[in-house]
């Protein structure tokens, strides 16, 4: 039995998130269907974490346990041949039996894409959030810097998740302009439910002058969700990379 | 009666090209429907040129003639409020009565986007062509340079168009890498039917070593379509800008 870790990219627009849902199709389900077609076995895919409906990934990870004669480096081609075009396996490697895609993750990187232009650009409507007001990127970046370090991020978490601790360590966070986009990138040891979208929403409020960069410090200390900004729309968010 | 020139962006994925077609919906038709809703009149939109099914635009132009009290700078907002999300009016300005969006165009810029990576990236599947073989971008750029100048581009034109002359002037052409993309940009006084896609197809064949950069010179001189490369897929092409 091989334990194989897949790197999975997807356009989340047409799915109800990573996880199999009663009220819509999950990406996980599509990958499991593809595994059944290729390996002829019911295989469950253990993801490195959930992504919400409409959220994208470049580097989601999924573990499968399978008996197969297909060489590991050919597995992406095999699975891609039966996957829909909005899900692509970009890599496969064997991992030890005790490897866990979620618990063993050391670092995750997310990117939040804001289309900051006078009018929307239709080609990017599903992978970005449109903001017509000129954003103050320098202030947003200053705000983002307060995320760095080990903090209790309760204020940046939606209700509905049950986690042991709301402490997380952010290794890096930055906001920069790459016309017509403003991009927020954040790298940390883990993220709470909706944490990156609430960070993005808070930074957007800083960018339009509704909040100050230094407010982020107080919001973190408050541990109060209502002090932070809105939960920015799902379609701007991409899970870029997971490191082990 | 105001003559108003619209700047139109669209994701062409779901349309049968710019022009109203018997066998599918054209973008022009959608803009005309929006005009009817906003202005309460049947208005025809004269485009600066056709784009094929699946081709995108950032800066297509369309002329409308309309009696309206809506200030010209508010017209994009009005039309966008009733247009589908894959079509966006990005500007509107008044032009003189004798202005013609096609005949008065001095310069058009196109961009052809190639996703050049080991595996496709689903987020970009509708706006790029996927090539897994590592492209030789330097050779492609050398090949593109032969396009520059005034040439008879008969070899880079598909049958089915009736034009007075197949001569066109290319002001600039270049190929560069911007990972994970390889981008071909070309600027000229006008383009024949499928010309940019055949240029792109020829450059791709250079990039994979099937043709040499210097072949472009001979292909142009041959005036023979069969000497040039394939017509690259529509979805990689974007009409970027038209200057008057």
């Amino acid at each position: 039995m091989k334990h194989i870790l897949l790197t999975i990219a997807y356009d989340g627009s047409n799915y109800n998130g990573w996880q199999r849902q009663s009220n819509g199709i999950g990406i996980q389900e599509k990958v499991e269907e593809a595994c059944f077609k290729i390996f002829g076995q019911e295989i469950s895919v253990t993801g490195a974490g959930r992504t919400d409906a409409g959220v994208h990934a470049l580097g989601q990870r999924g573990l499968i346990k399978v008996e197969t004669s297909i060489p590991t480096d050919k597995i992406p081609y095999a699975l891609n041949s039966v996957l829909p075009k909005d899900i692509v396996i970009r890599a496969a490697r064997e991992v030890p039996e005790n490897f866990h895609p979620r618990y063993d993750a050391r670092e995750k990187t997310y990117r939040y894409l804001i289309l900051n232009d006078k009018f929307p650009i239709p080609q990017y409507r599903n992978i970005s959030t449109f903001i017509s007001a000129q954003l103050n990127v320098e202030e947003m970046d200053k705000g983002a810097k307060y995320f760095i370090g080990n903090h209790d991020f309760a204020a940046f978490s939606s209700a509905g998740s049950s986690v042991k601790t709301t402490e997380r360590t952010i290794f890096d966070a930055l906001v920069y302009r790459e016309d017509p986009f403003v991009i927020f990138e954040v790298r940390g040891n883990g993220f709470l439910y909706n944490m990156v979208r609430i960070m993005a929403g808070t930074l957007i409020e800083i960018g339009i002058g509704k909040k100050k960069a230094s407010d982020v410090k107080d919001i973190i200390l408050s541990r109060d969700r209502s002090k932070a900004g809105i939960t920015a729309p799902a379609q701007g968010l991409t899970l870029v990379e997971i490191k082990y």
Side-chain angles (χ1 to χ4, degrees), chain A residues 9-174:
Chain A
Y10 44 83
D11 175 344
S13 307
N14 298 320
Y15 297 98
N16 206 13
W18 165 257
Q19 197 163 56
R20 188 191 283 274
Q21 299 281 341
S22 55
N23 58 340
I25 293 167
I27 291 120
Q28 182 190 22
E29 190 176 343
K30 286 290 178 188
V31 179
E32 289 175 350
E33 282 173 16
C35 285
F36 184 77
K37 286 182 192 165
I38 295 300
F39 302 119
Q41 307 156 42
E42 295 274 0
I43 290 172
S44 63
V45 180
T46 310
R50 302 180 192 181
T51 55
D52 290 339
V55 170
H56 315 291
L58 290 172
Q60 171 67 291
R61 306 284 193 144
L63 182 75
I64 56 172
K65 300 175 187 175
V66 62
E67 291 285 3
T68 179
S69 59
I70 303 175
T72 303
D73 61 331
K74 300 298 179 210
I75 287 176
Y77 298 98
L79 291 173
N80 289 338
S81 72
V82 295
L83 277 165
K85 287 204 182 303
D86 49 10
I87 304 175
V88 173
I89 309 299
R90 291 179 57 83
R93 66 174 168 97
E94 273 192 76
V95 289
E97 265 184 44
N98 60 355
F99 180 94
H100 194 285
R102 185 159 74 248
Y103 306 135
D104 289 347
R106 282 190 303 111
E107 184 182 306
K108 290 185 183 180
T109 303
Y110 282 92
R111 183 183 299 148
Y112 197 91
L113 208 57
I114 301 161
L115 182 72
N116 189 35
D117 204 354
K118 201 172 165 192
F119 293 101
I121 297 180
Q123 286 82 341
Y124 305 127
R125 70 192 183 285
N126 291 331
I127 58 164
S128 62
T129 292
F130 171 66
I131 306 270
S132 61
Q134 171 88 8
L135 291 170
N136 185 336
V137 174
E138 206 179 313
E139 278 301 297
M140 291 171 76
D141 185 57
K142 272 187 204 167
K145 293 298 180 264
Y146 289 99
F147 294 137
I148 298 172
N150 184 69
H151 302 290
D152 184 335
F153 284 104
F156 292 87
S157 171
S158 289
S161 65
S162 57
V163 285
K164 283 184 205 156
T165 166
T166 46
E167 271 188 39
R168 293 291 183 276
T169 302
I170 299 300
F171 304 127
D172 201 9
L174 72 163

